[in-house]
Amino acid sequence: MLSLGGGGAKSTKPSFVSYVTPEVLSPRLDWEDFDEERNPVLKHTQDDLSQRGIFGTLLCTNFRVSFVSDETPLEEMTQHFKNKLYGENDIPLMCVDNIYGVYDEKKKLITKGMLKNKCPSKMIIHCKDLRVFQFCLTYTKEEDAKKIFQGIAHHCLEPKSLKCVFAFSYAASSSPEVQRSQRTVMFDSKEDWTQEMKRTKANLRIVGYNFWMKYGCAMFKASTLPVPQEDGLMQGYMERMLHAVAHTHLYSLKLEDLSETLPTIQDIQQSYNKFKQFFLIDNSTDFWVSDVKWFSTLENTGWLDIIRQCLQKAVEVVECLEKENTNVLIMEEEGSDLCCVISSLVQIMLDPHFRTLTGFQGLVQKEWVAGCHAFLDRCNHLYQKDKECHSPSPVFLLFLECVWQMVQQHSPAFQFSETYLTVLSDSIHVPIFSTFLFNSAYQRESTMKAEAQHLQRGPLNCPAVWDWSVQFDCKAQELFINPLYADKLKQDKAIRKVPRAKHQRQLSLPSSAFKTPPKKGFFKDETESLKKMLRVKRISRWMASPDSPAAATREFYETWQRRPLDYHGLLLPCLDGPAMRLWMQRYLRWIPEVQILGGGPVAITSMLAELLSQVQDLRRELDMRSCWETEAESLQLRPGPLALTRTSLRLSSSFPFASNRNWTFKPAIPTSLLQSLMVTDRLASQEDETNEVISLV
Amino acid sequence: NRSSAALQLKSDNSYYCTAQSNRISLQMQTERQRERKRLDFFLYFLCLFSLVDKDVMYICPFNGALKGKVFITNFRLYFTHTDSTFTLDVPLSVISRIEKMGGASSRGENSYGLDITCKDMRNLRFALKQEGHSRRDIFGELFKYAFPLSHGLPLFAFLSQEKFEENGWNIYKPMDEFRRQGLPNERWRISFINSTYELCDTYPTILVVPFKATEEDLRRVATFRSRCRIPVLSWIHRENQAVIMRCSQPLVGMSGKRNKDDERYLDIIREANGTPKLTIYDARPNVNAVANKATGGGYEGEDAYQNAELVFLDIHNIHVMRESLKKLKDIVYPNVEESHWLSSLESTHWLEHIKLVLSGAIQVADKVSSGNSVVVHCSDGWDRTAQLTSLAMLMLDSYYRTLRGFQVLLEKEWISFGHKFASRIGHGDKNHADQDRSPIFLQFIDCVWQMTKQFPTAFEFNEHFLIVVLDHLYSCRFGTFLYNCESIRDSHNVRTKTVSLWSLINSSTTSYVNPFFTPESSRVLYPVASMRHLELWVNYYIRWNPRIRHQQSPVEQRYKELLALRDQYLKKLEELQLSDSTHMTNSSTPNAASPNQHITHLQTPF
């Protein structure tokens, strides 16, 4: 289902033209191959009782599964937040998570082997962005139904080769003018690294950082070369680097082996698989049944606990850097999964630059893309069945979850909004962007080169996800900005009054997150020898701290909490049970039962945006009259998301996602209420007034 | 000695909030200071009673043992750490239990002292020196003034003579409120049958009943309803004339008695707006309603009440709620259960009960807004019934979502209709294990808080207001929540001898107002009663824990900043316009059209 409000949903008719961005509209409209013919199907809305749906046509291209409604929309709706690449009734093939067939009222997971079987009466598609579509095939001619069903299943479930990923045909057809976002530092050139070094050096005044970083930079480049001879050289690098770190700094070095303390990527995958099931809801009955034991089911998936563990580990690392002035070496077997999570989190906590939009994007480029996180394998874009070898795992999503926790706890510290994070998490599964498509920079370069040769064209232009204009227009992009973000300028003023806390003057060391190259087993031995080298030091370090790390971190947090909060300084997350929250926007946005009509946090945000634009108007007015006597009066104002302002429309809590055109004012009344409340003890049956007996009249 | 203590109180500048609240806004602080000053002032005069002034050790669950001094007046217990970095200020009536721990011979550090259980989700522990029975007098004084009613002493509200600009007792005038609802009309009349509480001693004096029902009818119906709490009108929908009626259970009993008058009375209610079927919401679970037959109660049977449908809302009784809150306290105080927070929270069932109450109220509100009259009752119609009717009214009627409207709602549905505050809270009573105690009102306020959370712009009052209401539910500083019903309140002259909580609130409302409030008169609010949205009210239940940040919400802060900025700009513009217009009288070319536009545009939302 796609949440379209209660029943009788009308949807705007999606047309193909609307998705073809001008850039990709090449003379031959062949960037999408139409594989299947149009087949009439009925799409269900979630409403169980009415069983209402919309008739329309289902089609499948090499980019997406698409449903085109037969109904013409009654009125032109202005959609706030339209994705240019795919509409609300489109599913990019890479975004399909699972397909279920309903055979005689029984729901079965469709696997490759089942394609030959009878065609199901109903097809349910679960998406990776947590949408659920239900298509009824009983009104379709059987051969057509079979054709579309098999076509979709084939495209979604078959393992693919990287060459077939849609990005390449997209990149081939798009004009080279589409440049990647200018502002985001991509960290794919030496200059970028030098710049970053300068930036951090200037801020942090670190001796030797420069030297160290050079090696880091070199290593990233080198690691992408799978030449056997390089092995020796690499080891040389590592040893030298280690010595450099240990000797140039007068600080000691601490080793943090993540594989010993954090869940494995398999654990993460398992946990997330359990977790997401509770948001892929087929009908209202299921929703209310799962509502009864909601908290314990949530806890049993372990997902929130994994998030907490990652944040906890990051805080521990920050503590070493901040309090003990110790360098930290984070490592794990492959060095490109949890290492990326922890090192990026540490940098977000320490450095306000990474809490800005471009800073954050740069961080992802630096730690994840240049850091060779195996996106291709982890996201399993190619539907490889060999899980052993590729081990899919939502590691990057886990990172975004952790960031979201920080954002919701310290909103004014972040320039980007929750919506930005949600959209970013969706974009992982849009096969257009080079960002999430490869295992390493080397793989990207070589594949792109090979593809360009194959297509006999010049260099392919594969946009980075940071080029948001590919997906959203300017108005929608405004929603990425957090209107609460406290500007540095203003903060500075405040700080000038209050003497700076002492700790800020101390040296903040950069996270010396250090990565071993991503090639499998490539560096195992070296890692081992490194461990051995550092063992002595490490044990003594741990021995020195009397308490368990958790208790020590708790104290560190409490000390930090007692100080006045500086949104541009060190930022730590609260890790108490009640503080760890569910990312409601991402997980609940498509479920109609939980939509608060006219409520939710957006009600406040839109008022704030409205006021902000008013103040800006006034400001402009005054500026025109240039009546500012003192510069102090002028306050830096950042434009708020205009999409939120001047809308007479009442928004729902799932804004800006799931459009709710049909405002059903019927409340959702929970069913199956008493199932859990089996209060069997004597209290339940007791009379309200035990010591008074009702007088019988 | 006495005056020095009072001076001590004055010199310290933290009031009420024990946990060191790190960053409260300046405005809040001044507000609190003002309140504190006023309090100190009258304390200075009222601390004529016993004053304990003693060196003790406060065993803080968060900061460890703290050495300091404790002062006890007839209103409060005040502890201040030797270096004044920590203070504790507890109204005595918040105490539900005082226990001695350890004996004169018990060993170990800080093993001899007092353990105090409070009604507001915390425990206090003091250690004293073992020599010379040092705790004897402190225990005695505490016991006496924490439980004045058990010692033949008056409640503090009768001693306090605070003065406020506004008299809060005037906030609720039943006739005005009914008139606001458009009553009386041709279908509904005001009855004074209970003016001397002779029909029902737990009901208010003014009742609204169907026009067609005679006083004699009411008397006969009263014989068939538990404690004579007959169905009376709580709220009427202005457009469709559907009503919310409240009452107690019918006295059906084991034999399944029937009462023609009661049956006819409910049918008159149904007729009043032409509802084809009257819906009766029985708040209890079905089994409980059946079990009640054994004690003479019961529910409206299908054959007896032909034109009515009966719906059970499965809300549990006061004992279940009390145990649930007890479990909740166990997992949040002193330390928050960490490793299995969510499943522990679930095992308390607290939020599940909240969900049931809310979803019951949603059903009531939905029925009424679709034009059907409803009758709501539980066993006696003063606990669950009050929760359901008031929440439904809050959803239906935007007036009750304003600061003053909410006070009217509380005065009407809870105080005047006889929610047994005295029994449920146990004001001034030492019997901490009383089975009648139950956090029904707290549960209701929690439901309201859940609604404010889901609709952050729909309520004029803020979270701070709700917390203050709950604090004074226990504090006995005001007469508002004292006693079980109006008749008893009258006999104690509560309105003349005590001050209303609303005097405090309405004399200075700024700190209780939600800046995001946007009135929308005809809007029905349906909160989502799903566990996905319900959350624990951390700022109330876990507020004593210093790890929980007590910061003003950043959105609110930013919004207030912007409001101030806007006002500043507007003022500047106005000044400029003024100077322009004086300028323009000389030159005849008017070109200042846009600022005018702006100002009108800007003022519309407010």
Side-chain angles (χ1 to χ4, degrees), chain A residues 287-318:
Chain A
F287 175 85
W288 289 114
V289 168
S290 64
D291 202 51
V292 174
K293 286 272 172 204
W294 178 242
F295 288 136
S296 49
T297 31
L298 207 58
E299 186 177 283
N300 289 338
T301 66
W303 182 244
L304 286 177
D305 198 54
I306 290 175
I307 297 168
R308 188 223 307 275
Q309 286 180 46
C310 289
L311 285 166
Q312 165 96 31
K313 184 58 68 190
V315 174
E316 280 169 31
V317 174
V318 169

Side-chain angles (χ1 to χ4, degrees), chain A residues 41-56:
Chain A
V41 290
L42 181 69
K43 188 180 105 178
H44 274 301
T45 55
Q46 199 184 352
D47 203 333
D48 278 336
L49 302 167
S50 60
Q51 284 288 325
R52 267 181 293 188
I54 314 157
F55 279 100

Side-chain angles (χ1 to χ4, degrees), chain A residues 493-513:
Chain A
K493 262 192 227 162
I495 284 163
R496 226 174 287 147
K497 284 177 209 153
V498 190
R500 291 194 119 209
K502 202 184 166 195
H503 80 283
Q504 283 167 325
R505 262 185 268 118
Q506 291 169 356
L507 271 183
S508 296
L509 288 182
S511 145
S512 39

Side-chain angles (χ1 to χ4, degrees), chain A residues 206-340:
Chain A
I206 301 300
V207 203
Y209 186 51
N210 198 337
F211 174 69
W212 189 86
M213 261 323 202
K214 241 179 218 155
Y215 275 102
C217 179
M219 201 194 65
F220 287 131
K221 275 287 179 194
S223 68
T224 56
L225 305 166
V227 194
Q229 302 93 284
E230 291 283 321
D231 267 17
L233 182 67
M234 287 306 296
Q235 188 160 14
Y237 267 136
M238 288 190 47
E239 270 168 22
R240 263 156 59 199
M241 227 174 70
L242 200 71
H243 286 295
V245 174
H247 293 250
T248 2
H249 297 320
L250 295 171
Y251 311 104
S252 51
L253 187 71
K254 199 157 163 179
L255 181 90
E256 184 61 63
D257 191 346
L258 299 179
S259 33
E260 281 171 20
T261 46
L262 286 181
T264 64
I265 56 167
Q266 285 80 14
D267 294 340
I268 294 169
Q269 167 76 356
Q270 259 179 13
S271 167
Y272 182 68
N273 268 346
K274 273 195 253 166
F275 179 74
K276 73 177 178 203
Q277 289 311 320
F278 296 104
F279 305 98
L280 296 162
I281 288 177
D282 294 336
N283 57 52
S284 210
T285 321
D286 283 2
F287 175 85
W288 289 114
V289 168
S290 64
D291 202 51
V292 174
K293 286 272 172 204
W294 178 242
F295 288 136
S296 49
T297 31
L298 207 58
E299 186 177 283
N300 289 338
T301 66
W303 182 244
L304 286 177
D305 198 54
I306 290 175
I307 297 168
R308 188 223 307 275
Q309 286 180 46
C310 289
L311 285 166
Q312 165 96 31
K313 184 58 68 190
V315 174
E316 280 169 31
V317 174
V318 169
E319 189 188 358
C320 290
L321 296 167
E322 270 287 295
K323 213 170 88 185
E324 301 168 21
N325 282 351
T326 320
N327 278 359
V328 181
L329 189 64
I330 314 169
M331 56 195 300
E332 67 184 318
E333 198 175 295
E334 288 180 44
S336 62
D337 291 307
L338 289 166
C339 270
C340 299

Side-chain angles (χ1 to χ4, degrees), chain A residues 632-666:
Chain A
E633 277 179 89
S634 65
L635 206 127
Q636 193 81 30
L637 288 172
R638 187 171 283 283
L642 279 172
L644 277 168
T645 59
R646 282 161 201 157
T647 45
S648 53
L649 253 165
R650 258 189 235 138
L651 308 166
S652 97
S653 59
S654 65
F655 180 87
F657 300 95
S659 49
N660 41 309
R661 272 151 237 180
N662 288 54
W663 277 70
T664 47
F665 280 98
K666 273 281 162 204

Side-chain angles (χ1 to χ4, degrees), chain A residues 329-609:
Chain A
L329 189 64
I330 314 169
M331 56 195 300
E332 67 184 318
E333 198 175 295
E334 288 180 44
S336 62
D337 291 307
L338 289 166
C339 270
C340 299
V341 177
I342 302 302
S343 75
S344 339
L345 285 175
V346 166
Q347 289 172 70
I348 287 173
M349 290 175 193
L350 283 167
D351 191 342
H353 170 69
F354 296 123
R355 298 175 214 144
T356 63
L357 187 79
T358 47
F360 178 77
Q361 299 187 157
L363 182 71
V364 174
Q365 278 299 130
K366 176 159 78 85
E367 294 297 322
W368 294 81
V369 181
C372 292
H373 173 67
F375 279 109
L376 186 64
D377 289 347
R378 294 293 173 259
C379 304
N380 198 17
H381 286 320
L382 304 179
Y383 295 94
Q384 298 294 344
K385 291 293 158 217
D386 185 6
K387 303 246 157 112
E388 274 300 296
C389 178
H390 297 280
S391 32
S393 182
V395 182
F396 185 64
L397 178 67
L398 174 64
F399 164 63
L400 294 182
E401 282 262 18
C402 294
V403 176
W404 180 86
Q405 299 286 348
M406 301 268 298
V407 167
Q408 63 105 23
Q409 286 186 22
H410 305 291
S411 178
F414 292 86
Q415 193 192 16
F416 49 87
S417 66
E418 168 184 46
T419 306
Y420 170 79
L421 290 174
T422 308
V423 167
L424 184 56
S425 75
D426 288 346
S427 305
I428 300 171
H429 308 292
V430 182
I432 299 284
F433 310 110
S434 60
T435 316
F436 303 124
L437 221 46
F438 303 100
N439 281 336
S440 65
Y442 169 76
Q443 192 184 23
R444 185 180 68 232
E445 274 168 35
S446 54
T447 316
M448 297 289 261
K449 209 181 270 172
E451 273 307 296
Q453 269 169 6
H454 172 73
L455 292 164
Q456 295 177 328
R457 284 184 85 251
L460 286 177
N461 179 55
C462 219
V465 71
W466 318 125
D467 194 351
W468 291 109
S469 59
V470 173
Q471 291 192 77
F472 300 98
D473 58 22
C474 298
K475 219 176 155 193
Q477 282 183 52
E478 282 168 2
L479 291 168
F480 295 169
I481 301 293
N482 170 18
L484 279 182
Y485 179 60
D487 282 292
K488 183 76 181 157
L489 190 101
K490 223 169 83 193
Q491 281 287 324
D492 276 344
K493 262 192 227 162
I495 284 163
R496 226 174 287 147
K497 284 177 209 153
V498 190
R500 291 194 119 209
K502 202 184 166 195
H503 80 283
Q504 283 167 325
R505 262 185 268 118
Q506 291 169 356
L507 271 183
S508 296
L509 288 182
S511 145
S512 39
F514 148 71
K515 294 180 184 63
T516 58
K519 270 272 157 190
K520 195 152 300 281
F522 190 71
F523 247 143
K524 203 155 185 185
D525 296 343
E526 284 76 4
T527 318
E528 285 308 311
S529 68
L530 240 173
K531 278 190 198 170
K532 265 181 222 140
M533 280 170 66
L534 286 159
R535 187 127 294 169
V536 185
K537 210 164 237 166
R538 175 172 158 236
I539 289 166
S540 63
R541 289 301 303 181
W542 283 132
M543 298 280 271
S545 69
D547 299 314
S548 66
T553 325
R554 172 180 271 255
E555 205 189 300
F556 177 59
Y557 175 79
E558 277 171 10
T559 335
W560 172 79
Q561 197 201 18
R562 264 179 238 127
R563 289 195 294 253
L565 185 61
D566 173 13
Y567 287 124
H568 291 272
L570 174 67
L571 209 62
L572 295 182
C574 177
L575 299 172
D576 280 346
M580 300 305 291
R581 311 283 287 263
L582 173 73
W583 188 353
M584 305 257 267
Q585 188 189 51
R586 176 173 155 82
Y587 292 105
L588 299 180
R589 58 193 155 150
W590 313 114
I591 304 173
E593 282 82 1
V594 292
Q595 294 200 28
I596 308 167
L597 301 184
V602 71
I604 283 187
T605 329
S606 64
M607 281 185 73
L608 191 75

Side-chain angles (χ1 to χ4, degrees), chain B residues 238-258:
Chain B
R238 266 191 183 272
E239 275 92 57
N240 63 32
Q241 295 289 303
V243 295
I244 300 178
M245 307 289 289
R246 60 179 292 170
C247 58
S248 61
Q249 63 181 343
L251 298 174
V252 175
M254 291 298 269
S255 55
K257 266 186 292 180
R258 286 179 60 167

